Amino acid sequence: DGDCISADYSSSDSAFMQGVRPRSAAEGPWFSSAMPEYTETTQLHPDSINTITTCITTTPYQSRSFTWQMPQNIVQGSVSISTSPSMGSPMVIAAVRSLNYKGNASVFRASTTQLTAGTTYYYQITSGSTTSPVYSFTTATEDASFTFLHTSDTQSTKAAGYVTCSHALRQIVDEYKPQFVIHTGDQVETNYFEDEWRWYINDEKSVLTRLPYFPTVGNHEETTVYPARAFREHFSVPDNSCTAAAVTPGTVYSFNWGKVHFVVLNTQCKSGFSAEAEWLRNDLSNYKNGNVIICMHRGEYDLNGIVTDVTTAFTDIFAEYGVSLVLYGHDHCYLRSIQNDNCKTVHLQTGSSGTKQAATSVTRPSYVDVMATPQLPTISVITVTSTEIKVRTVTVDEKEGIVPLDNNAHLSKSDDTKTVDFSIPIK
């Protein structure tokens, strides 16, 4: 299930290379012990606010949360929020500080549920003697249509890879004006390499400081040895999360936005999915409107067949509660499942939003309606109106800009009537 890292053997870090070198069977498997920590080439700066991400705590109409990191010796932080760009008469929220699992960084979290729907707010983060620039965000309105983005698999071992995915995301945000972003896992290549987290989050600062970001754990964020610790230190998620002991804290949660109930699952839980499935059934039983979107990293369908553990745990629940759409990642190509009388739920793998792309030679499986291997960052733009959930998938080319996925030559369909863009009726 991907308990691995990519090693290109170009590193000058001798301790790391000793850990990833080829071994004989007599030495035991690589996963039998923790990998050596890779030497960081980046650092947290005391004169700037580092790795800022935002989310919601309860509803998108009244709440907002903020997460950031600073050097270990900085122990205080706060967020000032105002309706004025000059930051007049701000509401000041004290942050809660903790140390990261390595013990070498301060993690700050602050949140509020005292906001007003449909209002533009301005905010500044202060930690120690450092204050951020003024950022802004706008709270949602309950009855309005909304647009969000589905991104996935942005991982890279190089700083340049994160520049590519952030460039693509910024173009899509500027063009389609979404209200939030959902990422279905593998934000980074190796969950304990802080360089990668800093490259990823800091490169996307213009988006992540403004739009709520809902993260999903992928197989490169949680492994047998590393239980999504760095993932949890960079993001805050909505309060409605699974607290079962068998589920990694802060990785399974749900929230409502307009007419849709969103659920984020963790397909990397090493103790199995029984506790998570029980939580999911209880969560969906409390939601009566019928428009449900599930987000997960490993979906039921991939390039190599039906994913047995995921299907066994969740398929019956999806059917029982009439889940409209499942968004997932993992294979680095576009896959959309065949929808029929036996399976009315649409399963959509948007593809990689970064540089790690599936080969164009892969074959479309029989259970896939539409498949594409565009070799370009791919993002789905999803708009919810009073009548439909409309999904449009595009790629971003360095030279041509935003290009509809339908224009890509590496497209395979079950028949010529199929298109990449599709819609699902609102219930």
PDB file of all heavy atoms in Angstrom, residues 304-321:
ATOM      1  N   ASN A 304      -4.691  -1.216 -11.163  1.00  0.00           N
ATOM      2  CA  ASN A 304      -4.349  -2.631 -11.046  1.00  0.00           C
ATOM      3  C   ASN A 304      -5.511  -3.519 -10.635  1.00  0.00           C
ATOM      4  O   ASN A 304      -5.319  -4.714 -10.438  1.00  0.00           O
ATOM      5  CB  ASN A 304      -3.206  -2.791 -10.034  1.00  0.00           C
ATOM      6  CG  ASN A 304      -1.961  -2.046 -10.469  1.00  0.00           C
ATOM      7  OD1 ASN A 304      -1.539  -2.154 -11.610  1.00  0.00           O
ATOM      8  ND2 ASN A 304      -1.376  -1.275  -9.557  1.00  0.00           N
ATOM      9  N   GLY A 305      -6.701  -2.945 -10.477  1.00  0.00           N
ATOM     10  CA  GLY A 305      -7.851  -3.753 -10.106  1.00  0.00           C
ATOM     11  C   GLY A 305      -8.675  -3.114  -9.004  1.00  0.00           C
ATOM     12  O   GLY A 305      -8.471  -1.958  -8.631  1.00  0.00           O
ATOM     13  N   ILE A 306      -9.628  -3.874  -8.493  1.00  0.00           N
ATOM     14  CA  ILE A 306     -10.467  -3.407  -7.402  1.00  0.00           C
ATOM     15  C   ILE A 306      -9.654  -3.468  -6.115  1.00  0.00           C
ATOM     16  O   ILE A 306      -9.015  -4.474  -5.815  1.00  0.00           O
ATOM     17  CB  ILE A 306     -11.728  -4.278  -7.263  1.00  0.00           C
ATOM     18  CG1 ILE A 306     -12.479  -4.349  -8.604  1.00  0.00           C
ATOM     19  CG2 ILE A 306     -12.627  -3.730  -6.163  1.00  0.00           C
ATOM     20  CD1 ILE A 306     -12.951  -3.021  -9.122  1.00  0.00           C
ATOM     21  N   VAL A 307      -9.664  -2.387  -5.350  1.00  0.00           N
ATOM     22  CA  VAL A 307      -8.872  -2.290  -4.122  1.00  0.00           C
ATOM     23  C   VAL A 307      -9.646  -2.965  -2.994  1.00  0.00           C
ATOM     24  O   VAL A 307     -10.613  -2.414  -2.470  1.00  0.00           O
ATOM     25  CB  VAL A 307      -8.554  -0.820  -3.792  1.00  0.00           C
ATOM     26  CG1 VAL A 307      -7.676  -0.726  -2.548  1.00  0.00           C
ATOM     27  CG2 VAL A 307      -7.874  -0.152  -4.984  1.00  0.00           C
ATOM     28  N   THR A 308      -9.226  -4.150  -2.625  1.00  0.00           N
ATOM     29  CA  THR A 308     -10.041  -5.033  -1.788  1.00  0.00           C
ATOM     30  C   THR A 308     -10.327  -4.463  -0.411  1.00  0.00           C
ATOM     31  O   THR A 308     -11.486  -4.460   0.046  1.00  0.00           O
ATOM     32  CB  THR A 308      -9.345  -6.398  -1.634  1.00  0.00           C
ATOM     33  OG1 THR A 308      -9.099  -6.937  -2.937  1.00  0.00           O
ATOM     34  CG2 THR A 308     -10.227  -7.362  -0.851  1.00  0.00           C
ATOM     35  N   ASP A 309      -9.304  -3.979   0.310  1.00  0.00           N
ATOM     36  CA  ASP A 309      -9.545  -3.548   1.688  1.00  0.00           C
ATOM     37  C   ASP A 309     -10.459  -2.324   1.740  1.00  0.00           C
ATOM     38  O   ASP A 309     -11.354  -2.238   2.588  1.00  0.00           O
ATOM     39  CB  ASP A 309      -8.229  -3.294   2.428  1.00  0.00           C
ATOM     40  CG  ASP A 309      -7.365  -2.223   1.780  1.00  0.00           C
ATOM     41  OD1 ASP A 309      -7.569  -1.909   0.591  1.00  0.00           O
ATOM     42  OD2 ASP A 309      -6.466  -1.686   2.475  1.00  0.00           O
ATOM     43  N   VAL A 310     -10.278  -1.401   0.817  1.00  0.00           N
ATOM     44  CA  VAL A 310     -11.128  -0.213   0.780  1.00  0.00           C
ATOM     45  C   VAL A 310     -12.556  -0.585   0.399  1.00  0.00           C
ATOM     46  O   VAL A 310     -13.527  -0.129   1.014  1.00  0.00           O
ATOM     47  CB  VAL A 310     -10.546   0.822  -0.202  1.00  0.00           C
ATOM     48  CG1 VAL A 310     -11.481   2.011  -0.348  1.00  0.00           C
ATOM     49  CG2 VAL A 310      -9.168   1.279   0.253  1.00  0.00           C
ATOM     50  N   THR A 311     -12.700  -1.427  -0.616  1.00  0.00           N
ATOM     51  CA  THR A 311     -14.029  -1.833  -1.084  1.00  0.00           C
ATOM     52  C   THR A 311     -14.793  -2.586  -0.001  1.00  0.00           C
ATOM     53  O   THR A 311     -15.975  -2.315   0.257  1.00  0.00           O
ATOM     54  CB  THR A 311     -13.896  -2.713  -2.334  1.00  0.00           C
ATOM     55  OG1 THR A 311     -13.234  -1.967  -3.359  1.00  0.00           O
ATOM     56  CG2 THR A 311     -15.252  -3.156  -2.849  1.00  0.00           C
ATOM     57  N   THR A 312     -14.126  -3.517   0.655  1.00  0.00           N
ATOM     58  CA  THR A 312     -14.779  -4.299   1.704  1.00  0.00           C
ATOM     59  C   THR A 312     -15.273  -3.415   2.841  1.00  0.00           C
ATOM     60  O   THR A 312     -16.370  -3.621   3.379  1.00  0.00           O
ATOM     61  CB  THR A 312     -13.797  -5.350   2.258  1.00  0.00           C
ATOM     62  OG1 THR A 312     -13.391  -6.206   1.193  1.00  0.00           O
ATOM     63  CG2 THR A 312     -14.438  -6.169   3.365  1.00  0.00           C
ATOM     64  N   ALA A 313     -14.504  -2.408   3.192  1.00  0.00           N
ATOM     65  CA  ALA A 313     -14.853  -1.560   4.330  1.00  0.00           C
ATOM     66  C   ALA A 313     -15.970  -0.574   4.018  1.00  0.00           C
ATOM     67  O   ALA A 313     -16.832  -0.314   4.874  1.00  0.00           O
ATOM     68  CB  ALA A 313     -13.611  -0.803   4.800  1.00  0.00           C
ATOM     69  N   PHE A 314     -15.984  -0.010   2.806  1.00  0.00           N
ATOM     70  CA  PHE A 314     -16.803   1.177   2.584  1.00  0.00           C
ATOM     71  C   PHE A 314     -17.889   1.071   1.511  1.00  0.00           C
ATOM     72  O   PHE A 314     -18.829   1.865   1.522  1.00  0.00           O
ATOM     73  CB  PHE A 314     -15.896   2.362   2.232  1.00  0.00           C
ATOM     74  CG  PHE A 314     -14.886   2.682   3.279  1.00  0.00           C
ATOM     75  CD1 PHE A 314     -13.524   2.647   2.998  1.00  0.00           C
ATOM     76  CD2 PHE A 314     -15.274   3.018   4.573  1.00  0.00           C
ATOM     77  CE1 PHE A 314     -12.576   2.948   3.962  1.00  0.00           C
ATOM     78  CE2 PHE A 314     -14.351   3.315   5.558  1.00  0.00           C
ATOM     79  CZ  PHE A 314     -12.988   3.268   5.255  1.00  0.00           C
ATOM     80  N   THR A 315     -17.816   0.120   0.577  1.00  0.00           N
ATOM     81  CA  THR A 315     -18.750   0.095  -0.551  1.00  0.00           C
ATOM     82  C   THR A 315     -20.202   0.029  -0.102  1.00  0.00           C
ATOM     83  O   THR A 315     -21.058   0.778  -0.594  1.00  0.00           O
ATOM     84  CB  THR A 315     -18.448  -1.088  -1.483  1.00  0.00           C
ATOM     85  OG1 THR A 315     -17.163  -0.905  -2.067  1.00  0.00           O
ATOM     86  CG2 THR A 315     -19.479  -1.178  -2.599  1.00  0.00           C
ATOM     87  N   ASP A 316     -20.524  -0.860   0.819  1.00  0.00           N
ATOM     88  CA  ASP A 316     -21.912  -1.006   1.268  1.00  0.00           C
ATOM     89  C   ASP A 316     -22.416   0.262   1.937  1.00  0.00           C
ATOM     90  O   ASP A 316     -23.597   0.631   1.794  1.00  0.00           O
ATOM     91  CB  ASP A 316     -22.044  -2.187   2.226  1.00  0.00           C
ATOM     92  CG  ASP A 316     -21.874  -3.534   1.529  1.00  0.00           C
ATOM     93  OD1 ASP A 316     -21.926  -3.566   0.291  1.00  0.00           O
ATOM     94  OD2 ASP A 316     -21.670  -4.541   2.234  1.00  0.00           O
ATOM     95  N   ILE A 317     -21.548   0.949   2.660  1.00  0.00           N
ATOM     96  CA  ILE A 317     -21.954   2.197   3.323  1.00  0.00           C
ATOM     97  C   ILE A 317     -22.226   3.277   2.283  1.00  0.00           C
ATOM     98  O   ILE A 317     -23.208   4.022   2.379  1.00  0.00           O
ATOM     99  CB  ILE A 317     -20.878   2.651   4.325  1.00  0.00           C
ATOM    100  CG1 ILE A 317     -20.625   1.553   5.357  1.00  0.00           C
ATOM    101  CG2 ILE A 317     -21.306   3.948   5.016  1.00  0.00           C
ATOM    102  CD1 ILE A 317     -19.502   1.873   6.324  1.00  0.00           C
ATOM    103  N   PHE A 318     -21.362   3.372   1.279  1.00  0.00           N
ATOM    104  CA  PHE A 318     -21.592   4.349   0.212  1.00  0.00           C
ATOM    105  C   PHE A 318     -22.944   4.112  -0.453  1.00  0.00           C
ATOM    106  O   PHE A 318     -23.689   5.055  -0.739  1.00  0.00           O
ATOM    107  CB  PHE A 318     -20.489   4.255  -0.846  1.00  0.00           C
ATOM    108  CG  PHE A 318     -19.118   4.667  -0.373  1.00  0.00           C
ATOM    109  CD1 PHE A 318     -18.007   4.404  -1.155  1.00  0.00           C
ATOM    110  CD2 PHE A 318     -18.921   5.302   0.850  1.00  0.00           C
ATOM    111  CE1 PHE A 318     -16.735   4.770  -0.741  1.00  0.00           C
ATOM    112  CE2 PHE A 318     -17.662   5.668   1.286  1.00  0.00           C
ATOM    113  CZ  PHE A 318     -16.562   5.401   0.474  1.00  0.00           C
ATOM    114  N   ALA A 319     -23.251   2.847  -0.710  1.00  0.00           N
ATOM    115  CA  ALA A 319     -24.517   2.514  -1.363  1.00  0.00           C
ATOM    116  C   ALA A 319     -25.711   2.789  -0.453  1.00  0.00           C
ATOM    117  O   ALA A 319     -26.735   3.337  -0.886  1.00  0.00           O
ATOM    118  CB  ALA A 319     -24.502   1.049  -1.799  1.00  0.00           C
ATOM    119  N   GLU A 320     -25.580   2.422   0.814  1.00  0.00           N
ATOM    120  CA  GLU A 320     -26.689   2.591   1.760  1.00  0.00           C
ATOM    121  C   GLU A 320     -27.092   4.055   1.894  1.00  0.00           C
ATOM    122  O   GLU A 320     -28.287   4.370   1.997  1.00  0.00           O
ATOM    123  CB  GLU A 320     -26.277   2.027   3.122  1.00  0.00           C
ATOM    124  CG  GLU A 320     -27.347   2.175   4.205  1.00  0.00           C
ATOM    125  CD  GLU A 320     -26.898   1.614   5.545  1.00  0.00           C
ATOM    126  OE1 GLU A 320     -25.835   0.951   5.604  1.00  0.00           O
ATOM    127  OE2 GLU A 320     -27.615   1.839   6.543  1.00  0.00           O
ATOM    128  N   TYR A 321     -26.116   4.944   1.898  1.00  0.00           N
ATOM    129  CA  TYR A 321     -26.413   6.358   2.116  1.00  0.00           C
ATOM    130  C   TYR A 321     -26.380   7.175   0.824  1.00  0.00           C
ATOM    131  O   TYR A 321     -26.427   8.398   0.873  1.00  0.00           O
ATOM    132  CB  TYR A 321     -25.446   6.932   3.153  1.00  0.00           C
ATOM    133  CG  TYR A 321     -25.731   6.384   4.538  1.00  0.00           C
ATOM    134  CD1 TYR A 321     -25.026   5.279   5.019  1.00  0.00           C
ATOM    135  CD2 TYR A 321     -26.740   6.930   5.328  1.00  0.00           C
ATOM    136  CE1 TYR A 321     -25.301   4.750   6.264  1.00  0.00           C
ATOM    137  CE2 TYR A 321     -27.011   6.404   6.589  1.00  0.00           C
ATOM    138  CZ  TYR A 321     -26.295   5.310   7.043  1.00  0.00           C
ATOM    139  OH  TYR A 321     -26.586   4.782   8.286  1.00  0.00           O
TER     140      TYR A 321
END
